[in-house]
Amino acid sequence: MGVRFRGWGIALPDRIVTNDELSLTLDTSDEWITERTGIRERRVGGTAVSLGVIAGRNAIEDAGLVVGDIDFIVVATTTPDRLCPASAPMIAHELGLSCPAMDVNAACSGFMYAVRTAQGLLETGNRRILVVGTENLSRWVDWSDRNMAVLLGDGAGAAVLEYDEERNDILSFVLGADGSAADLLTAEHGGYFQMDGKEIFRRAVRVVVDSAEQAMKNAQVSPDDISLVIPHQANIRIIKAATQRLEIPMERTVVTLDRYGNTSSSSIPLAFFDARENGRIKEGECALMTGFGAGMTWASAVVRWSR
Ligand code: ACO
C-alpha cells in the first residue's frame, strides 16, 4: 500500500516585476541580481487564499476528480492572509469543501512538510488529500530593502495525493529542523522579512546535501537513478553548489527562479509542474525533491513519477 501523486496545479499572479523595474527604486541592477541569484523577474499579487484556491482547483481538475472527492486539505504557507484563522479552511470553503483543513508553516520546506503530513493521514484512513503551497510574500517585503526585495515572489502550487492499494510514489522522506538558527530569517508581527543571507546560504547547501544523500540512501537509489532534481528555488548558486556536491548535473535539475523568484513553500510544486509541462520526467522515473527554509527547516524526498 502507499501514496500516489494524482494531479498537480499552479497559480501565478499576472503582474511581472522585472529586475530593471526594481532597479528604478532600489540601489541594485539587473546584472547584480541575475549574477548573484539567477532571478530575472518575479510575480507579485493575489493573496495566500486566492492563489491557493486557483492552484487547488487546477490540481483537482488535473487529477480528473471533483472537489467532493477530497477528504482533507493541508495548506503550507509562511504568509497567511491573517494570523487567525488558518488559510486552509478558507481555501476549502471557496473550493466548496467542508472537510478537515489545516495549515502547516515550515517556511520554504512547507510544501514538503505538508506532503509528509498528508502521507501519514493517507496511511491512517484518508483517501484523497489536497496539499497546497501558497505564498503572498510580497506583502511582507520592505520594498525599499534591496536585500529581500530582489529575492521573493508570489504564487501557489498544489497536488492531490491519493491512497493506493498497490503503488507507492514516495520512496523516502527526510525532514529536519534546527531552531538554533531561528534568527537567521525572521518576520516579526507587523514587520518585514529580514535575514542573514550569507549564513543561510552556507547552511542551506549543507542541509540540502546531507538530507538529499540520506533520502537517496533510504530509497536505495544512487544519484544516477535520479532523473530530475526539484530543488527549492532560492538562489541559483545554492542549487548549483548542492547539485555539484550530489554529483547530479544541472541538466537534470529544474530551475524556475529566473521567472518566479523565491516563492517559499510554493516553489517546489511550481518547479515540479514546470518540469512536467516541459516533458522532463517520464512515468516510473525518480525525482529528488529537496528544500530548506526559515526555522531552519529542511526536507528531502525521493518520489516516483506516476503521471
Ligand atoms: N543589489 C546590489 N548590490 C547588493 C544587493 C542588491 N540587491 N545586495 C547586496 N549587495 C551588495 C552588498 O552590499 C555587497 O557590496 P560590497 O561588496 O560593496 O560590500 C555585495 O553586493 C555582495 O553582497 P553579499 O551579501 O556578499 O552578496 P551574496 O553574494 O552573499 O548574495 C544573497 C546575497 C543573494 C542574499 C545570498 O547570500 C543568498 O541568496 N542567500 C540565501 C538567501 C535565502 O535563501 N534566503 C531564504 C529564502 S527567503 C524565505 O525563506 C522567505
Side-chain angles (χ1 to χ4, degrees):
M1 70 159 204
V3 170
R4 176 183 168 205
F5 287 100
R6 179 144 176 185
W8 293 80
I10 65 167
L12 289 161
D14 293 335
R15 168 106 162 87
I16 296 172
V17 176
T18 63
N19 291 346
D20 281 336
E21 186 177 342
L22 290 179
S23 310
L24 296 174
T25 50
L26 292 172
D27 181 16
T28 190
S29 64
D30 177 44
E31 192 190 0
W32 191 95
I33 303 169
T34 305
E35 200 177 289
R36 307 296 270 220
T37 71
I39 298 165
R40 292 179 183 278
E41 58 188 40
R42 69 286 295 144
R43 303 296 184 100
V44 172
T47 64
V49 170
S50 66
L51 294 167
V53 168
I54 298 168
R57 191 177 287 127
N58 288 340
I60 294 168
E61 199 180 303
D62 185 61
L65 298 170
V66 293
V67 284
D69 294 323
I70 302 297
D71 61 14
F72 208 112
I73 173 164
V74 185
V75 171
T77 185
T78 322
T79 52
D81 299 339
R82 290 186 272 181
L83 185 62
C84 179
S87 302
M90 292 188 281
I91 291 174
H93 177 68
E94 288 203 26
L95 286 170
L97 285 165
S98 55
C99 61
M102 67 175 190
D103 281 11
V104 167
N105 180 350
C108 304
S109 316
F111 184 79
M112 305 283 290
Y113 267 73
V115 168
R116 182 63 164 151
T117 304
Q119 184 187 23
L121 290 165
L122 288 165
E123 286 171 355
T124 51
N126 288 92
R127 304 300 300 183
R128 294 188 192 98
I129 299 185
L130 178 66
V131 178
V132 181
T134 184
E135 299 289 3
N136 182 208
L137 294 153
S138 64
R139 183 175 159 189
W140 304 97
V141 169
D142 173 358
W143 288 97
S144 65
D145 172 13
R146 69 178 183 178
N147 289 323
M148 293 306 307
V150 302
L151 299 177
L152 305 179
D154 299 331
V160 175
L161 272 71
E162 182 174 68
Y163 174 80
D164 197 296
E165 295 278 347
E166 279 147 28
R167 68 186 298 161
N168 182 28
D169 286 351
I170 300 178
L171 306 187
S172 67
F173 235 118
V174 175
L175 300 180
D178 176 8
S180 72
D183 289 338
L184 294 182
L185 175 52
T186 58
E188 302 298 334
H189 289 292
Y192 297 114
F193 283 112
Q194 290 185 317
M195 69 168 181
D196 177 346
K198 267 195 194 311
E199 185 58 16
I200 293 174
F201 193 120
R202 204 175 63 77
R203 291 183 189 229
V205 175
R206 198 170 62 214
V207 297
V208 163
V209 171
D210 288 352
S211 63
E213 282 177 347
Q214 191 61 49
M216 287 190 284
K217 191 172 169 213
N218 293 355
Q220 297 180 308
V221 299
S222 74
D224 288 344
D225 298 319
I226 300 294
S227 299
L228 211 53
V229 183
I230 325 269
H232 170 50
Q233 308 283 315
N235 185 317
I236 191 69
R237 293 186 292 134
I238 294 177
I239 294 175
K240 280 185 177 162
T243 51
Q244 195 178 16
R245 280 172 215 197
L246 292 168
E247 296 181 3
I248 302 177
M250 281 301 287
E251 299 84 72
R252 287 194 267 134
T253 302
V254 184
V255 175
T256 55
L257 55 74
D258 53 332
R259 288 158 285 153
Y260 308 143
N262 178 351
T263 56
S264 193
S265 61
S266 311
S267 87
I268 287 179
L270 280 171
F272 210 107
F273 191 87
D274 192 78
R276 191 191 73 170
E277 291 302 284
N278 290 306
R280 292 186 65 188
I281 187 153
K282 296 182 193 66
E283 187 160 349
E285 289 182 344
C286 285
L288 169 69
M289 294 172 159
T290 181
F292 64 91
M296 276 187 82
T297 61
W298 56 91
S300 289
V302 176
V303 304
R304 201 187 300 283
W305 183 235
S306 62
R307 73 178 293 275

